[in-house]
Amino acid sequence: MKQPLHARTIRRLTSSDTDLLVELAPRTFREAYASQVRPEELDRHIRSDFTREHVAAQLSDPRTAGFVALEGDVPIGYALLHVGSPAACVEGPRPIELARIYLERRAVGKGHGAALLRACLEEADRLERETMWLGVWDANTVARAFYERWGFRCVGTHPYEFAGTIYDDLVMARAVAGPRP
Ligand SMILES: CC(C)(COP(=O)(O)OP(=O)(O)OC[C@H]1O[C@@H](n2cnc3c(N)ncnc32)[C@H](O)[C@@H]1OP(=O)(O)O)[C@@H](O)C(=O)NCCC(=O)NCCS
């Protein structure tokens, strides 16, 4: 049967998903920033941050949880949560970081980001975390608007190293139990 246009599945990422994420994570990262960042800088960042070892370690880290969005059986995006040390400007209780949320470019604007974030908020709730926070490049207006629609508000900045340069990322946060559009 033909699937409706926006049919999707969200499922948990497991330690068996290394191959999936090793392919999806650098590809979606590249698509997100290709128009704003020099290709050699993107290559350098991807070579250092998306190695198989790094991805495998993330997927087996008990402080990390992740979800993949699929259209049919084709992965089109993912999100990662991480319980670790929050940025200094995050003051809310029991924080959890939305460490990554990335879709393929062709999948943006169809509600897949919303479905991934909903799964992340449910997981954060299940883990009894109370504050969700994230860092976002201030030039990433699409992502910032998405987070604002979901009730995230700017709480400060924190340093983010990209290809040898330190940037000030905006830090946004919301209550896990807050309203979900
Ligand atoms: C950030 C990101 C995950 C958000 O996802 P998104 O697809 O843009 O956001 P949504 O899932 O809310 O979808 C938004 C659009 O889909 C529509 N939509 C929402 N739910 C829908 C549904 N169930 N079915 C169909 N369409 C839907 C909305 O009406 C909205 O359209 P509009 O903007 O014209 O009003 C995505 O933009 C992305 O991956 N960007 C590139 C990577 C990136 O920058 N990541 C963040 C780094 S900090």
Side-chain angles (χ1 to χ4, degrees), residues 152-175:
F152 286 89
R153 295 294 173 255
C154 286
V155 294
T157 61
H158 78 155
Y160 175 72
E161 196 266 319
F162 180 87
T165 306
I166 308 285
Y167 295 87
D168 261 347
D169 259 8
L170 291 178
V171 176
M172 302 180 82
R174 60 160 277 160

Side-chain angles (χ1 to χ4, degrees), residues 88-102:
C89 55
V90 175
E91 289 178 348
R94 298 186 57 75
I96 187 166
E97 180 183 7
L98 178 62
R100 303 240 184 227
I101 182 163
Y102 282 85

Side-chain angles (χ1 to χ4, degrees), residues 84-147:
S85 302
C89 55
V90 175
E91 289 178 348
R94 298 186 57 75
I96 187 166
E97 180 183 7
L98 178 62
R100 303 240 184 227
I101 182 163
Y102 282 85
L103 297 173
E104 287 184 353
R105 195 170 39 215
R106 65 166 190 88
V108 169
K110 297 176 178 177
H112 300 307
L116 279 168
L117 182 52
R118 198 168 291 118
C120 286
L121 285 165
E122 279 163 16
E123 176 71 2
D125 200 25
R126 201 185 63 78
L127 295 170
E128 300 182 343
R129 309 314 297 183
E130 293 178 37
T131 306
M132 187 171 286
W133 72 277
L134 57 92
V136 57
W137 188 23
D138 65 353
N140 192 346
T141 49
V142 172
R144 284 177 60 190
F146 169 75
Y147 297 138

